[in-house]
Amino acid sequence: MKPISWLGKFLPLLVLLLLPINTFAAIPGVEALRMIQSDDGSQTYSVTIQILAIMTALTFLPSMLIMMTSFTRIIVVLAILRQAMGLQQTPSNQIVLGLSLFLTFFIMTPVWEKVNAEALQPYIAEEIGPLEAVNLARAPLQEFMLSQTREVDLDMFARIGGYNVIASPEEVPFVVLVPAFVTSELKTAFQIGFMLFIPFLILDMVVASILMAMGMMMLSPVIISLPFKIMLFVLVDGWTLVMGTLAASYGY
């Protein structure tokens, strides 16, 4: 049975190898590259190359979602919140990731609607070329990132990259803006996480002091304080406060 199974896997490949060369010659070729010269002097490429470029750009989509949107701040804050409450696996990573994604969609919706109206729809209607569509789509995203980036971070990365003279914010290169934006997002996320950590830390200290005063030094304060942390978080409507704070930090 094993030789037959092995032969069955490689039989299609053997058949293709035994086909005559004329068989492949009869298949019409796919136009790989065709450059079209427009009346105004600009150049556009064939649909095949455009599809190839789009499929290549899709591989960078996860990195763009993480580094160029509000996703980084949200997921870091939620991770710090879970650690502060002492819940290692609750909510689970899937829930934290899904919540971060949908809150990111909510926050970034005005930006994406602007990109769709100014760049995507005109490009679909063939009113503008692909390069012009990319430049138009870049503007709203760059405006959002600049509004959330500290000038100190921009100056640092501009100085490291050798961009000493930048006339206006619109001229900031993406190679400078993206790392500066991510650095600012991490700073803001840790600041919000610090503010969330303080109440739970105080509760842990109070419980630990009470246990030591009662002589129960062998009992873990974390086990005793965990129900009180959950009760405190529920009583103050913690999830609404956290989600509202994250959305309000972007101007909502």
Side-chain angles (χ1 to χ4, degrees), residues 37-59:
Q37 190 78 21
S38 302
D39 297 334
D40 57 356
S42 61
Q43 297 174 347
T44 58
Y45 297 96
S46 62
V47 177
T48 306
I49 292 300
Q50 293 181 19
I51 293 176
L52 179 61
I54 293 174
M55 296 301 294
T56 304
L58 287 178
T59 60

Side-chain angles (χ1 to χ4, degrees), residues 27-232:
I27 301 176
V30 179
E31 185 182 40
L33 175 60
R34 181 166 59 91
M35 188 171 61
I36 304 172
Q37 190 78 21
S38 302
D39 297 334
D40 57 356
S42 61
Q43 297 174 347
T44 58
Y45 297 96
S46 62
V47 177
T48 306
I49 292 300
Q50 293 181 19
I51 293 176
L52 179 61
I54 293 174
M55 296 301 294
T56 304
L58 287 178
T59 60
F60 296 96
L61 188 59
S63 299
M64 295 173 60
L65 177 64
I66 294 174
M67 297 299 173
M68 300 171 64
T69 63
S70 59
F71 180 83
T72 300
R73 182 189 303 187
I74 296 169
I75 198 167
V76 170
V77 169
L78 293 181
I80 294 176
L81 173 63
R82 186 173 64 178
Q83 185 71 26
M85 294 183 65
L87 301 171
Q88 302 299 325
Q89 298 296 330
T90 304
S92 63
N93 294 331
Q94 292 84 352
I95 295 177
V96 172
L97 182 60
L99 186 59
S100 302
L101 282 173
F102 278 97
L103 190 57
T104 300
F105 294 154
F106 170 76
I107 294 173
M108 299 297 297
T109 293
V111 178
W112 290 337
E113 287 180 348
K114 196 173 182 180
V115 171
N116 179 64
E118 296 181 359
L120 183 58
Q121 293 302 324
Y123 174 70
I124 294 176
E126 299 183 356
E127 298 175 358
I128 58 176
L131 295 180
E132 186 179 356
V134 171
N135 291 329
L136 291 175
R138 172 185 171 181
L141 187 59
Q142 186 173 9
E143 181 182 357
F144 167 79
M145 296 171 65
L146 283 172
S147 65
Q148 304 298 325
T149 306
R150 295 175 173 84
E151 293 185 3
V152 176
D153 299 326
L154 275 175
D155 293 338
M156 180 188 67
F157 283 102
R159 185 176 64 255
I160 294 174
Y163 299 93
N164 297 322
V165 179
I166 299 178
S168 62
E170 292 75 14
E171 297 180 5
V172 177
F174 252 52
V175 293
V176 174
L177 180 58
V178 173
F181 171 74
V182 174
T183 304
S184 296
E185 287 292 282
L186 289 175
K187 286 182 181 179
T188 306
F190 274 81
Q191 290 174 354
I192 298 175
F194 173 78
M195 298 303 296
L196 291 174
F197 220 105
I198 294 300
F200 300 110
L201 181 61
I202 294 175
L203 189 56
D204 281 335
M205 295 174 62
V206 170
V207 172
S209 300
I210 294 175
L211 291 178
M212 290 187 64
M214 296 176 63
M216 299 181 180
M217 292 177 290
M218 300 300 294
L219 186 60
S220 175
V222 178
I223 300 177
I224 304 300
S225 63
L226 181 58
F228 294 99
K229 290 180 182 179
I230 297 176
M231 181 181 65
L232 174 65

Side-chain angles (χ1 to χ4, degrees), residues 1-10:
M1 297 298 293
K2 289 185 178 180
I4 296 176
S5 177
W6 178 85
L7 182 60
K9 293 180 180 180
F10 289 94

Side-chain angles (χ1 to χ4, degrees), residues 233-247:
F233 193 71
V234 172
L235 288 177
V236 299
D237 200 7
W239 286 114
T240 302
L241 291 176
V242 171
M243 297 297 108
T245 301
L246 287 173

